[in-house]
Amino acid sequence: MQKIPKNVLPLLLLATTFIAGCAQQLVATPEDQADGLIPRETGLDSVSAAYAFDMSGAKVYLEPVGVEYSKRFPTASSPLRAKDYEFRDKDLVKLQEVMGETLSERFLAPRQSQLVTDKAEADYVMQLDLSRFALGAPLDPQPWLWRVYTDQSAYGTLSGELTDLEGNPVMRFSDRRDIGENFGSLGPGGRFERFTSVTFWRDMKIDLRRAFASLDDSLQ
């Protein structure tokens, strides 16, 4: 009987553990179990939905997007406050528009579904949230910060819950997002890029399209 060399055993054990992990079934959270939602295979952190989930041709109302910011600690060397890294009212209006546009484009349109502005007309209600959210720099220009370079526009966790007219959850998802990553060296297309409101909203649209496209794939 041929013996396995000792230096090969750790590799075999690692491969066996990896295969066993891949074969494990998805496990529903207690919250999903209580709501009767089934976890789905996904490229996002988590997606769960009701059995035989189908919202073809549905009308969806999008609630105002919720934003919860990461805690920032002021430093004596910086004139900026934590409030400077938060959305203004006009930014929240823009965020709502971008969320609705990208959700419609990448998730609702493939199902021949649409957003409606009147909640009374809706078949479903969608709540989207950004938690632990942090901007790379203030969106409003500051005279003493006329050039700011960052390696990403923002980061946070995007989550959503879709409920029916009776308030019962039919779909839930969550994913940690790094928005506007630029890997490489300093310069155009490199790791650091000049931060402006224009670059932020461009990066946000690109990232949300990716997120909602992945959500669509998870529920095919």
Side-chain angles (χ1 to χ4, degrees), residues 51-63:
Y51 178 74
F53 174 76
D54 181 15
M55 53 180 293
S56 299
K59 294 180 180 179
V60 180
Y61 177 79
L62 179 61
E63 293 278 11

Side-chain angles (χ1 to χ4, degrees), residues 40 47-49 53 107 111 171 214-220:
R40 304 296 182 91
V47 175
S48 58
F53 174 76
F107 183 71
R111 293 167 171 75
M171 187 270 292
S214 294
L215 179 63
D216 175 52
D217 291 340
S218 303
L219 297 170
Q220 291 292 344

Side-chain angles (χ1 to χ4, degrees), residues 35-92:
D35 293 327
L37 302 185
I38 303 170
R40 304 296 182 91
E41 291 187 4
T42 179
L44 304 178
D45 288 341
S46 66
V47 175
S48 58
Y51 178 74
F53 174 76
D54 181 15
M55 53 180 293
S56 299
K59 294 180 180 179
V60 180
Y61 177 79
L62 179 61
E63 293 278 11
V65 177
V67 183
E68 178 264 314
Y69 300 96
S70 284
K71 178 69 176 177
R72 286 186 180 271
F73 299 94
T75 59
S77 60
S78 174
L80 295 172
R81 307 159 301 166
K83 293 288 290 183
D84 295 320
Y85 290 89
E86 297 181 3
F87 288 128
R88 306 296 191 265
D89 289 343
K90 63 182 178 66
D91 302 320
L92 291 172

Side-chain angles (χ1 to χ4, degrees), residues 14-191:
L14 181 62
T16 302
T17 302
F18 176 77
I19 293 171
C22 292
Q24 289 178 353
Q25 292 184 346
L26 297 171
V27 178
T29 65
E31 184 181 16
D32 287 343
Q33 285 182 330
D35 293 327
L37 302 185
I38 303 170
R40 304 296 182 91
E41 291 187 4
T42 179
L44 304 178
D45 288 341
S46 66
V47 175
S48 58
Y51 178 74
F53 174 76
D54 181 15
M55 53 180 293
S56 299
K59 294 180 180 179
V60 180
Y61 177 79
L62 179 61
E63 293 278 11
V65 177
V67 183
E68 178 264 314
Y69 300 96
S70 284
K71 178 69 176 177
R72 286 186 180 271
F73 299 94
T75 59
S77 60
S78 174
L80 295 172
R81 307 159 301 166
K83 293 288 290 183
D84 295 320
Y85 290 89
E86 297 181 3
F87 288 128
R88 306 296 191 265
D89 289 343
K90 63 182 178 66
D91 302 320
L92 291 172
V93 172
K94 176 72 172 179
L95 179 65
Q96 187 78 11
E97 293 174 353
V98 172
M99 286 281 194
E101 174 189 325
T102 52
L103 177 70
S104 295
E105 177 187 338
R106 296 302 171 96
F107 183 71
L108 298 181
R111 293 167 171 75
Q112 290 75 52
S113 298
Q114 61 177 322
L115 286 180
V116 293
T117 57
D118 187 351
K119 194 172 183 177
E121 297 179 3
D123 302 305
Y124 297 97
V125 175
M126 174 72 88
Q127 176 65 58
L128 295 173
D129 296 291
L130 286 171
S131 60
R132 294 186 291 278
F133 184 72
L135 286 165
L139 281 180
D140 289 334
Q142 304 288 341
W144 57 85
L145 288 176
W146 65 284
R147 284 177 185 259
V148 176
Y149 292 87
T150 63
D151 59 350
Q152 58 184 188
S153 287
Y155 61 86
T157 298
L158 172 67
S159 60
E161 184 175 81
L162 187 71
T163 58
D164 62 20
L165 295 181
E166 296 179 353
N168 301 309
V170 295
M171 187 270 292
R172 188 178 287 134
F173 77 92
S174 179
D175 194 60
R176 170 68 165 76
R177 309 299 299 179
D178 292 305
I179 301 162
E181 289 183 294
N182 295 285
F183 296 104
S185 57
L186 185 63
R191 181 171 180 79

